[in-house]
Amino acid sequence: MRKASLQGNTKTLSSVWKYQNKRSKPYTYKMILSIWIITMVIFEYFTFRYGVLPTYYAGHPYYSMLIILNQLFVGIFFYFGILHFVFPVVYQREKQDVIAYENNVLSTALQDNFYPKVLLLYTTYNDFLPYAADQCFQQTYTNCQSVILDNSTDNYYINKVRRYVQLHSNVQLIHDVNNRYAKAGNLNHFLCHELHDDYDYFVILDADELLEKEFVEKTLKFFQFAQQHEQRQLGIVQANHISGQNLNEFQSLFSSSGNSFWPVQNTVRSMFSGTLSKDNNGEVIQVSKGDCVDIELGHGTIVSKECFEAVGQIPQAVAEDLCFSVEALFKGFNIQFVHQIYGNEAFPINQAALMTRSAKFSSANFEFMKLYGKKIWQTKVLSKTQKLDLLSFVLSDILFALEYLSLTLSSIVFPLAHVHTGMQTFFLIPTLIVYFSQSIADGWFQKLSGWTLWKVIKYECLAAFLYGGMYYITVKAAFLSLFGVSAKFRTTPKKHNKITFLDAFKANFSGIIFSLSTIIIVLFCSGSSWILLSFVPGVIGFLVYSLANKSTYSNRKAHVIIENGNYNALTSLQGEIVPWDI
């Protein structure tokens, strides 16, 4: 509801001052780097004393150099593991202050003189979901225009979209038949060519996106509040997300990882993202230095017209969201993640869909570095730790490629050359903890959310098999990108047909051979038994496919709700709307 004045002003401003004071004293990367340096000093002491120096004095300087190179890989490996533990700790420490600040902003009302026009841009490419479009378009804020941006090539989806628009005459349809540059091209085709400048903000929606009905109303409060009280130019607000719409056991089990990863990573990054502004000459300056970089994540995000026009267009890249975020920051626009505004994104329907998405993310991040690596290095808009944070976010996938190189050196090359690396047995435990750092953090939050210990253990075991089974495709995508293969936009499959044991085996055959060959070679060369931790899951990880064939009562109930939602969206204007948190 819109009202004439702000409410709770004193309390709100007090909360803002406390929040801004904390934001001006970032410590996340001080903690990460301190723990990492201490760990690596201990690690490198033993490596140099019992590995590098003896090898060098034995007349093998080249192998000494290889050991040092391998330690760079090991250092990166430990760095990401420590990061995965520190972010949840910081999140738990700061969460209540973040929530208090957000509650006070959300408690204010939109003023009568603040009534901007908002475009709801639903993007689809051969994956139109009528129930999702219908649900997203039902907003409490009234000054909205719903638009479907369709660049589908499949007549089945093209006709379904047209059928929907014929029934919902208030929804505008833009069909980009050229399908240039995937999602970025789809958005640019409308925003830069079809649109007649009649809007103030636009919301980006994916095909499987569900939004709470107050999404627009709530996000506009943060734009209004930033203008009135924070003296910063807020260009983008990103919503939190849950992974829902679970239609099988695969989705029900593994969607929980996103439900912890999204709020933890993005809340911390937003909390310590600093503040940008412009000086009298129009140059972008840091009002308060940040420790992290807040980014928009491609959907469930609202962008101001001023921000978009300053950037000019959505960068034509697979990771268009990440590229647009950096361009917005370079132009002096702040980005804010809001913990308590929600969207709902369906987790990939099965293991094959998850592998498709993972390969796309990996290659897209390498493409981003080619486009923006030099610019990020040279910019004065971001602090050194912000640059490190952005690189950490983007290059996490390279860990898999470097890990495999390190494993090859440690378990094949060095043993064949009779070179000792100095790695002691007692490093096995911290190495394992780092190796499973992300799933351990996920399990911790799942336990806090009410999971039983047995369910957490089940999740940890199956997650090891799932991501072990995906190891090959991730390493492959990383190496292809390193050797110049261009990133390609791939739509994550949204349908699942029952898959047999043989079908799953065939689909993962390359990964099975890759993992099995690595195990055999390493056991022959070095007898290293803990190679099994990385590659046995790759051999039998395809068994996780079967989870997508199973469904619980909750899954079947969700399926019925979604099917009814699809039917209602295509046949009735008064049909029941699918709940955003299904």
Side-chain angles (χ1 to χ4, degrees):
M1 180 180 293
R2 296 169 60 242
K3 297 182 180 179
S5 62
L6 293 175
Q7 296 178 342
N9 194 48
T10 303
K11 180 180 178 182
T12 299
L13 291 179
S14 175
S15 173
V16 171
W17 291 329
K18 181 178 181 181
Y19 180 73
Q20 296 290 13
N21 183 53
K22 281 204 167 189
R23 289 186 68 181
S24 66
K25 300 175 182 178
Y27 61 88
T28 305
Y29 277 90
K30 291 179 181 178
M31 185 182 299
I32 292 171
L33 293 174
S34 296
I35 296 172
W36 179 72
I37 289 171
I38 292 171
T39 302
M40 295 314 299
V41 165
I42 298 172
F43 201 100
E44 298 311 317
Y45 168 78
F46 288 99
T47 301
F48 271 79
R49 181 173 180 178
Y50 298 108
V52 175
L53 295 179
T55 301
Y56 178 81
Y57 289 128
H60 302 293
Y62 294 113
Y63 284 122
S64 295
M65 295 299 294
L66 278 179
I67 295 175
I68 294 173
L69 176 63
N70 183 53
Q71 290 309 106
L72 292 177
F73 301 153
V74 171
I76 294 172
F77 177 63
F78 268 82
Y79 168 79
F80 278 101
I82 292 167
L83 183 149
H84 290 154
F85 283 121
V86 169
F87 264 70
V89 171
V90 175
Y91 171 75
Q92 286 295 99
R93 180 176 178 178
E94 304 294 347
K95 180 176 65 174
Q96 294 306 317
D97 284 338
V98 172
I99 290 174
Y101 161 75
E102 290 181 358
N103 282 338
N104 285 322
V105 175
L106 292 170
S107 69
T108 63
L110 294 178
Q111 292 184 302
D112 284 340
N113 61 357
F114 185 71
Y115 191 53
K117 183 174 181 178
V118 179
L119 302 176
L120 301 169
L121 305 183
Y122 177 95
T123 61
T124 177
Y125 172 64
N126 295 334
D127 58 355
F128 177 62
L129 300 172
Y131 79 92
D134 213 35
Q135 194 276 344
C136 287
F137 294 157
Q138 306 299 315
Q139 290 292 312
T140 56
Y141 184 78
T142 56
N143 194 15
C144 291
Q145 171 64 54
S146 302
V147 185
I148 296 178
L149 305 181
D150 178 32
N151 59 2
S152 297
T153 56
D154 188 328
N155 283 330
Y156 171 79
Y157 290 103
I158 293 173
N159 292 331
K160 184 179 283 190
V161 171
R162 288 175 177 170
R163 182 181 171 190
Y164 178 86
V165 173
Q166 286 173 358
L167 179 64
H168 300 79
S169 58
N170 61 319
V171 177
Q172 183 180 358
L173 171 61
I174 302 295
H175 184 62
D176 180 14
V177 294
N178 292 312
N179 192 30
R180 297 182 300 273
Y181 305 109
K183 185 176 179 180
N186 196 4
L187 289 165
N188 288 332
H189 174 72
F190 176 69
L191 291 168
C192 300
H193 302 292
E194 296 283 348
L195 189 59
H196 297 291
D197 206 36
D198 182 24
Y199 76 102
D200 299 290
Y201 299 89
F202 64 86
V203 178
I204 302 175
L205 303 168
D206 272 1
D208 59 350
E209 182 87 34
L210 300 179
L211 295 179
E212 57 175 313
K213 62 183 180 180
E214 299 88 0
F215 175 88
V216 173
E217 183 179 345
K218 288 181 176 180
T219 54
L220 288 179
K221 290 181 179 182
F222 282 86
F223 285 104
Q224 175 182 260
F225 199 84
Q227 293 171 10
Q228 294 179 340
H229 299 292
E230 297 177 317
Q231 291 80 50
R232 63 186 181 124
Q233 195 165 21
L234 185 59
I236 302 171
V237 172
Q238 172 65 57
N240 198 353
H241 271 69
I242 62 169
S243 292
Q245 308 169 63
N246 298 322
L247 303 180
N248 58 51
E249 284 196 20
F250 178 86
Q251 290 180 302
S252 294
L253 183 63
F254 295 115
S255 64
S256 58
S257 61
N259 293 340
S260 60
F261 184 85
W262 263 83
V264 169
Q265 296 286 322
N266 294 305
T267 299
V268 173
R269 287 194 160 94
S270 188
M271 176 74 180
F272 297 122
S273 59
T275 304
L276 299 175
S277 187
K278 293 183 180 180
D279 61 19
N280 294 331
N281 297 319
E283 294 293 324
V284 179
I285 58 173
Q286 294 178 338
V287 176
S288 63
K289 286 192 175 183
D291 198 27
C292 304
V293 176
D294 208 356
I295 61 175
E296 66 105 343
L297 299 161
H299 55 91
T301 185
I302 183 169
V303 182
S304 74
K305 176 182 177 181
E306 291 80 7
C307 179
F308 177 76
E309 289 186 342
V311 174
Q313 66 172 7
I314 307 293
Q316 294 169 344
V318 176
E320 85 292 329
D321 49 357
L322 188 56
C323 297
F324 183 73
S325 297
V326 172
E327 291 285 1
L329 291 170
F330 287 167
K331 297 295 183 181
F333 287 89
N334 294 278
I335 304 171
Q336 183 164 1
F337 173 85
V338 183
H339 187 281
Q340 295 180 94
I341 301 178
Y342 287 97
N344 182 329
E345 178 191 23
F347 193 78
I349 192 72
N350 55 29
Q351 189 176 12
L354 184 60
M355 291 169 72
T356 298
R357 190 178 73 169
S358 178
K360 182 185 76 171
F361 285 171
S362 181
S363 58
N365 287 343
F366 275 93
E367 179 190 41
F368 170 81
M369 286 307 302
K370 291 179 183 178
L371 295 172
Y372 288 94
K374 185 177 180 180
K375 294 179 182 179
I376 292 170
W377 177 263
Q378 295 177 341
T379 186
K380 296 180 180 179
V381 172
L382 304 177
S383 68
K384 292 179 181 178
T385 51
Q386 282 182 307
K387 294 176 183 180
L388 176 61
D389 178 60
L390 188 56
L391 292 176
S392 299
F393 178 81
V394 173
L395 295 181
S396 57
D397 286 337
I398 200 175
L399 173 66
F400 290 94
L402 296 180
E403 182 187 353
Y404 191 72
L405 288 175
S406 177
L407 183 145
T408 302
L409 289 172
S410 300
S411 301
I412 299 176
V413 175
F414 293 150
L416 288 177
H418 303 290
V419 171
H420 298 287
T421 62
M423 296 175 65
Q424 303 298 306
T425 304
F426 65 81
F427 279 114
L428 177 60
I429 293 177
T431 300
L432 290 178
I433 292 174
V434 168
Y435 182 79
F436 292 106
S437 58
Q438 185 59 64
S439 62
I440 291 173
D442 289 342
W444 177 37
F445 281 104
Q446 288 152 2
K447 188 71 175 68
L448 292 176
S449 69
W451 280 26
T452 64
L453 180 60
W454 167 244
K455 189 174 181 179
V456 172
I457 293 173
K458 177 185 176 182
Y459 168 82
E460 296 289 349
C461 293
L462 290 175
F465 288 121
L466 171 66
Y467 294 107
M470 293 172 54
Y471 189 65
Y472 165 73
I473 193 70
T474 308
V475 171
K476 178 183 175 182
F479 275 108
L480 287 176
S481 298
L482 283 171
F483 287 105
V485 178
S486 299
K488 293 182 180 180
F489 185 88
R490 300 177 177 89
T491 300
T492 304
K494 294 179 174 61
K495 289 185 176 180
H496 172 74
N497 297 318
K498 189 171 183 178
I499 189 168
T500 65
F501 175 89
L502 184 59
D503 291 333
F505 181 82
K506 289 179 179 178
N508 286 263
F509 184 73
S510 296
I512 293 170
I513 295 300
F514 170 79
S515 298
L516 190 60
S517 299
T518 302
I519 290 173
I520 293 172
I521 293 171
V522 170
L523 289 178
F524 175 78
C525 294
S526 65
S528 174
S529 58
W530 48 303
I531 190 70
L532 303 177
L533 290 168
S534 298
F535 290 95
V536 166
V539 176
I540 62 177
F542 71 94
L543 297 175
V544 177
Y545 260 96
S546 64
L547 289 175
N549 293 333
K550 302 175 182 179
S551 61
T552 63
Y553 172 76
S554 296
N555 299 144
R556 293 189 291 273
K557 183 179 179 181
H559 180 76
V560 170
I561 292 173
I562 287 173
E563 287 303 304
N564 287 339
N566 279 328
Y567 177 79
N568 291 332
L570 293 174
T571 59
S572 173
L573 291 174
Q574 304 299 323
E576 185 176 346
I577 300 299
V578 171
W580 76 268
D581 55 351
I582 183 175

